[in-house]
Amino acid sequence: MNVPGKGTLIVVLQIRVHFSGGASANRKFNAADIIAVQEPRTLDTPRVKASTYKTKHHQQTDFTGITVPTVGEVVPIKRE
Amino acid sequence: MAVKYDPAGYAYLPVSLISLFMAKFNSIFRFTGSLGNVIAYRRGGKTCLRTRPETVRQTENTRRSAQWFGAASRKGAFVRNTFADELDIPHYGAHINQLTRTIVNAGRNNHAGLKGFRFNPHTRTTDLIHHTDLSGDGKLRIPAQVIEAYGGAEMIEIKLIAKHIDFTTRQVTGTDVAVLLIGKDYLRKSNEPSPRLQFGERSLP
């Protein structure tokens, strides 16, 4: 398909079954679906709100300054 | 039932009886829309009457939701009307609500959410032609396959409609339509193991 113009491109596929008397009106033999949607390359793209949850709660914390290494619940004495 | 007849011979019910039921508008001169406080609307092929609500209790959220629903409804109507001229399938009614729902669920400006929408909710295109493939160059490729002659079909018509729609100005800026007809010799009848002629790969347009 060669469609000039601007905006969103929407492609619809329609299939109809014809009998000896012409196109059927039976809903089983008629179909039309939107098979493709192409957004323009401009600012019309959907705005998705960036989640701040990860940055707040999933930051890797440096625990080295909080915990103290122990050996059998006894804090080892640092060698000089 | 206390049916009365006016001098012209038309039957009517006293107002006190009408108020017992949902008001139906049976007059010869009908209208839809609002007339003062009275609103007439079509429902199931009948014209009904209701009065405008005296007060509406809305929070900020319900107001926003109602406005978004209204916008989605208008957009759905625009999409339907845009394709109405090219679409030949009968109107099955239910697609009006379904298109609005699809737009509401997709979110604002997310037109990609329309992909997969069925104008006939009962049948998919893949139910009739099992394999199709829209390639990047804009061609619809229909691979070689066995196509059924449903109920003794004489022909299958495949129509591809492409439109550029500018949703900001609500205008159609371009349209292209291509049609492919598949004759009955390529369709497999239910009492035959294979069709008379084998359907080879085709492309649209």
Side-chain angles (χ1 to χ4, degrees):
Chain A
M1 306 297 277
N2 182 21
V3 195
K6 62 172 189 173
T8 308
L9 178 68
I10 298 182
V11 184
V12 173
L13 175 65
Q14 174 191 270
I15 300 177
R16 290 198 299 164
V17 179
H18 290 251
F19 294 94
S20 54
S24 171
N26 190 328
R27 65 189 189 186
K28 282 185 192 168
F29 302 129
N30 288 286
D33 301 346
I34 294 177
I35 57 167
V37 179
Q38 193 179 39
E39 298 278 10
R41 295 188 196 118
T42 53
L43 295 173
D44 270 347
T45 46
R47 282 182 295 175
V48 180
K49 192 182 173 188
S51 171
T52 54
Y53 181 80
K54 270 197 171 179
T55 51
K56 273 184 184 173
H57 300 279
H58 290 255
Q59 279 176 341
Q60 282 192 344
T61 313
D62 184 12
F63 292 105
T64 51
I66 302 168
T67 56
V68 179
T70 57
V71 177
E73 296 182 355
V74 179
V75 179
I77 301 162
K78 272 189 179 178
R79 289 184 181 175
E80 291 289 328
Chain B
M1 188 66 72
V3 178
K4 294 183 178 178
Y5 294 90
D6 66 5
Y10 294 111
Y12 66 92
L13 287 172
V15 173
S16 57
L17 271 177
I18 292 174
S19 61
L20 292 176
F21 312 104
M22 181 175 65
K24 286 172 193 154
F25 202 7
N26 292 325
S27 165
I28 297 169
F29 305 103
R30 294 179 192 177
F31 69 94
T32 54
S34 59
L35 183 67
N37 252 355
V38 179
I39 297 168
Y41 58 99
R42 301 276 297 172
R43 183 186 166 88
K46 290 174 184 165
T47 309
C48 302
L49 291 176
R50 68 176 177 85
T51 54
R52 197 184 289 276
E54 288 175 8
T55 53
V56 179
R57 295 175 62 194
Q58 277 189 318
T59 64
E60 193 55 43
N61 282 343
T62 54
R63 191 191 307 273
R64 198 182 303 126
S65 176
Q67 282 172 348
W68 167 223
F69 181 81
S73 177
R74 281 194 297 278
K75 185 177 275 190
F78 174 63
V79 171
R80 277 197 318 278
N81 294 333
T82 298
F83 284 96
D85 288 342
E86 285 80 16
L87 282 177
D88 308 308
I89 65 167
H91 294 285
Y92 296 108
H95 69 280
I96 294 174
N97 290 334
Q98 286 173 355
L99 184 55
T100 306
R101 191 188 312 152
T102 305
I103 294 169
V104 167
N105 291 340
R108 274 181 205 277
N109 289 332
N110 182 16
H111 303 122
L114 288 172
K115 188 181 172 186
F117 173 75
R118 284 182 265 168
F119 285 92
N120 174 12
H122 308 285
T123 309
R124 290 179 288 262
T125 50
T126 49
D127 294 338
L128 301 171
I129 304 281
H130 299 308
H131 306 292
T132 54
D133 178 28
L134 189 70
S135 55
D137 59 354
K139 286 192 171 184
L140 182 78
R141 204 172 61 86
I142 306 164
Q145 60 190 292
V146 175
I147 301 172
E148 305 288 338
Y150 301 97
E154 292 282 313
M155 186 172 66
I156 287 187
E157 176 200 316
I158 301 172
K159 192 175 189 180
L160 196 63
I161 308 155
K163 277 182 187 283
H164 261 304
I165 299 174
D166 190 346
F167 282 102
T168 43
T169 58
R170 290 199 177 248
Q171 280 182 334
V172 178
T173 54
T175 302
D176 196 9
V177 178
V179 178
L180 174 71
L181 301 174
I182 302 172
K184 65 177 179 182
D185 289 339
Y186 294 96
L187 308 178
R188 190 182 78 87
K189 293 182 178 65
S190 57
N191 56 352
E192 292 176 359
S194 60
R196 210 169 72 79
L197 297 172
Q198 193 178 358
F199 178 78
E201 182 177 315
R202 303 278 181 90
S203 285
L204 254 176

